[in-house]
Amino acid sequence: MRMTMSTHIDADPDTVFEATTRFATAADFIGGIDKVEMLTDGPVGVGTRFRETRTFFGKTATEVMEVTDFRPGESYTLGAASNGCIYQTIVRCVPEDGGTRLEYDFSGEPQGLIGKLTAPLMALALGGTMRKCLAKDLEDIKASVESGGDAPESAALA
């Protein structure tokens, strides 16, 4: 399963990047996130880990996310393992028309026999839900950054 989504934000790439890497307070303005618990201290970079909780289909889902690649002002990659799959989200801040195109490149790769057997069902079940979730996260980040609200001090992606 793989999908790429993006939105244009009327702010420079550094501002958008800073907003999206403020994981600790993501739940303050991304409506789909219930809470985030930081598992590492210090500045964000490769190895930063956090536990993110969301509600899907009326059930709480908690995933441990880790930054596996980090290019300040440009992109970073979040990885997670859950339910027999390895998930990866590449977040890019691309200069575009005096602002930034914020891109999510999300993929899931089944692992082991159980993961491979259930992958088609998971893709069907989560495909539409994940697309809506990612689109809503992008909308929330865009609204927060463009309003000049707390986004630069409290943003994150999943």
Side-chain angles (χ1 to χ4, degrees):
M1 179 172 72
R2 183 173 187 170
M3 64 184 79
T4 301
M5 303 184 75
S6 66
T7 192
H8 179 85
I9 299 177
D10 290 327
D12 65 88
D14 287 336
T15 298
V16 175
F17 186 85
E18 180 185 10
T20 65
T21 57
R22 300 286 180 148
F23 305 119
T25 54
D28 291 349
F29 74 96
I30 296 179
I33 298 175
D34 297 333
K35 71 177 183 174
V36 174
E37 176 189 355
M38 295 305 297
L39 301 175
T40 56
D41 295 325
V44 173
V46 172
T48 296
R49 296 175 66 234
F50 58 94
R51 185 176 292 119
E52 179 183 278
T53 302
R54 292 178 179 255
T55 302
F56 290 105
F57 306 113
K59 295 190 179 202
T60 300
T62 300
E63 307 297 338
V64 173
M65 313 289 273
E66 181 173 349
V67 177
T68 59
D69 185 56
F70 190 77
R71 298 165 194 224
E74 296 176 19
S75 68
Y76 61 92
T77 303
L78 293 174
S82 178
N83 299 316
C85 285
I86 301 293
Y87 297 100
Q88 177 176 279
T89 304
I90 301 169
V91 179
R92 294 181 190 96
C93 296
V94 181
E96 176 184 73
D97 299 329
T100 303
R101 183 177 70 247
L102 177 60
E103 289 182 357
Y104 285 0
D105 184 349
F106 174 84
S107 62
E109 182 71 32
Q111 302 293 304
L113 181 60
I114 299 296
K116 290 178 182 177
L117 289 173
T118 60
L121 292 174
M122 291 292 283
L124 285 173
L126 291 178
T129 300
M130 277 307 291
R131 185 168 294 285
K132 288 177 187 173
C133 175
L134 294 175
K136 181 68 170 111
D137 285 2
L138 287 168
E139 288 175 25
D140 288 351
I141 292 166
K142 175 182 175 73
S144 185
V145 171
E146 288 182 352
S147 73
D150 293 334
E153 284 123 35
S154 61
L157 299 175

